[in-house]
Amino acid sequence: MLCSAAGEKSVFLWSMRSYTLIRKLEGHQSSVVSCDFSPDSALLVTASYDTNVIMWDPYTGERLRSLRHTQLEPPMDDSDVHISSLRSVCFSPEGLYLATVADDRLLRIWALELKTPIAFAPMTNGLCCTFFPHGGVIATGTRDGHVQFWTAPRVLSSLKHLCRKALRSFLTTYQVLALPIPKKMKEFLTYRTF
């Protein structure tokens, strides 16, 4: 599956087997500017100028969660209305964290199970972000061509998260829902609960 964001309020999911459109995901109020799949491909996050990150199930098109990118301090006047416009979102390598960059001059790190950021870092002219593939570091790029490196949380994933990640690497949401297992396990494996 491939996700494309073209500056519209929606994103498109494409099949890489048949090169056809699978579905259109709608839910943002402004242009979507960034998207990323979780390491197990079971989740998709999209970031928009509307200051929201939406977490989707790419297999069903279901909106699982929204993270609102709010300012730490209220704006002084109406000229700063769009100061929190998001520029970039990315998953950590273990799939437990998200990083976001916005026009409010902050890099934020979010834990998936929480709806508020767990860490902040100041930056200017932020444009994009990505985690080092082995974790522990986030690189951010700026509109003036600079790259900054930040220490990121390093965690030892729980056994249940590792099991979910392993299963979701090869099972779609529909395949998980068809398994003869208790409902609470299905909800966990499909990221309906954390």
Side-chain angles (χ1 to χ4, degrees):
M1 202 179 296
L2 175 82
C3 179
S4 63
E8 298 176 4
K9 295 179 184 180
S10 57
V11 296
F12 297 94
L13 294 177
W14 303 89
S15 167
M16 291 293 84
R17 289 191 180 121
S18 63
Y19 303 107
T20 57
L21 179 66
I22 297 170
R23 73 177 41 85
K24 181 179 181 179
L25 299 176
E26 298 177 299
H28 284 288
Q29 302 304 309
S30 190
S31 300
V32 178
V33 293
S34 182
C35 58
D36 194 24
F37 283 97
S38 61
D40 60 7
S41 298
L43 296 172
L44 171 70
V45 289
T46 56
S48 168
Y49 288 153
D50 67 10
T51 73
N52 286 307
V53 172
I54 299 178
M55 190 180 307
W56 307 88
D57 182 323
Y59 295 100
T60 65
E62 183 181 350
R63 183 178 176 159
L64 301 176
R65 173 173 289 189
S66 290
L67 305 173
R68 182 123 176 103
H69 218 271
T70 57
Q71 293 178 240
L72 293 182
E73 297 177 13
M76 300 306 269
D77 58 31
D78 289 338
S79 65
D80 292 330
V81 170
H82 298 291
I83 200 158
S84 287
S85 293
L86 285 162
R87 294 290 173 177
S88 184
V89 63
C90 65
F91 270 100
S92 64
E94 74 282 338
L96 292 172
Y97 296 98
L98 292 174
T100 58
V101 170
D103 287 343
D104 65 357
R105 300 180 195 94
L106 288 173
L107 164 69
R108 287 173 171 79
I109 300 174
W110 309 73
L112 281 191
E113 70 271 7
L114 303 175
K115 290 192 175 191
T116 56
I118 60 165
F120 300 87
M123 62 177 302
T124 305
N125 292 324
L127 183 61
C128 59
C129 59
T130 190
F131 278 85
F132 177 64
H134 302 292
V137 175
I138 299 172
T140 57
T142 64
R143 287 187 284 276
D144 52 6
H146 294 96
V147 177
Q148 295 175 296
F149 297 94
W150 309 91
T151 302
R154 285 200 117 153
V155 296
L156 184 59
S157 298
S158 68
L159 182 57
K160 70 181 194 176
H161 176 72
L162 291 172
C163 290
R164 172 172 58 189
K165 188 175 165 186
L167 280 171
R168 290 311 307 269
S169 293
F170 67 91
L171 291 178
T172 68
T173 301
Y174 296 115
Q175 291 170 322
V176 170
L177 294 174
L179 293 173
I181 57 175
K183 182 181 177 186
K184 285 194 177 216
M185 281 182 108
K186 289 179 184 180
E187 288 173 351
F188 177 76
L189 291 174
T190 58
Y191 290 92
R192 274 42 179 192
T193 61
F194 289 87

